[in-house]
Amino acid sequence: MERTDEYRKALDVPISELSIDRIIEEIRRQPENFEALYHLTTDEKLLVSWRALWVCDKLCRQYPDWFAPLREELTGGFCVYNILRKSGNTKGNRPGG
């Protein structure tokens, strides 16, 4: 949980201070930390979950095998539903629209 908290703090900063590449590089060097980052894709703070998904998107392009065990979860709309739920929009409408 400690690593998850560190990633949450790193993602919950103004965009000018955000260092996605640093997080990606750390996870590349220590793949065992991937789970801590992935956990944040469902964080209660929408900004953190979106940014965690952004990092996962970049990692998926380089390490698709990391995401293979998550295929059912990811293709089942789990993440999209959680993002909509957190924005108060469970009817499938675009957030803010």
Side-chain angles (χ1 to χ4, degrees):
M1 200 60 157
E2 179 181 321
R3 182 59 66 188
T4 300
D5 290 338
E6 289 176 26
Y7 288 143
R8 182 179 292 110
K9 288 177 187 173
L11 294 169
D12 192 18
V13 297
I15 193 75
S16 62
E17 298 172 25
L18 185 62
S19 181
I20 295 292
D21 292 335
R22 182 192 62 76
I23 296 170
I24 291 168
E25 185 57 35
E26 180 178 320
I27 293 173
R28 277 189 211 147
R29 287 191 318 261
Q30 299 175 336
E32 65 274 10
N33 291 336
F34 171 70
E35 187 176 337
L37 173 78
Y38 184 75
H39 178 74
L40 291 174
T41 63
T42 59
D43 193 76
E44 63 186 32
K45 188 165 187 177
L46 192 57
L47 178 70
V48 172
S49 64
W50 282 359
R51 289 179 175 175
L53 285 165
W54 183 20
V55 174
C56 285
D57 176 64
K58 290 180 173 275
L59 287 168
C60 182
R61 294 167 195 267
Q62 296 175 358
Y63 304 101
D65 54 308
W66 291 3
F67 293 83
L70 305 168
R71 182 173 183 222
E72 183 65 33
E73 182 177 320
L74 294 171
T75 59
F78 175 77
C79 289
V80 172
Y81 174 77
N82 276 320
I83 288 170
L84 292 174
R85 180 180 55 81
K86 289 173 191 167
S87 69
N89 182 354
T90 57
K91 298 188 190 252
N93 299 325
R94 206 179 58 178

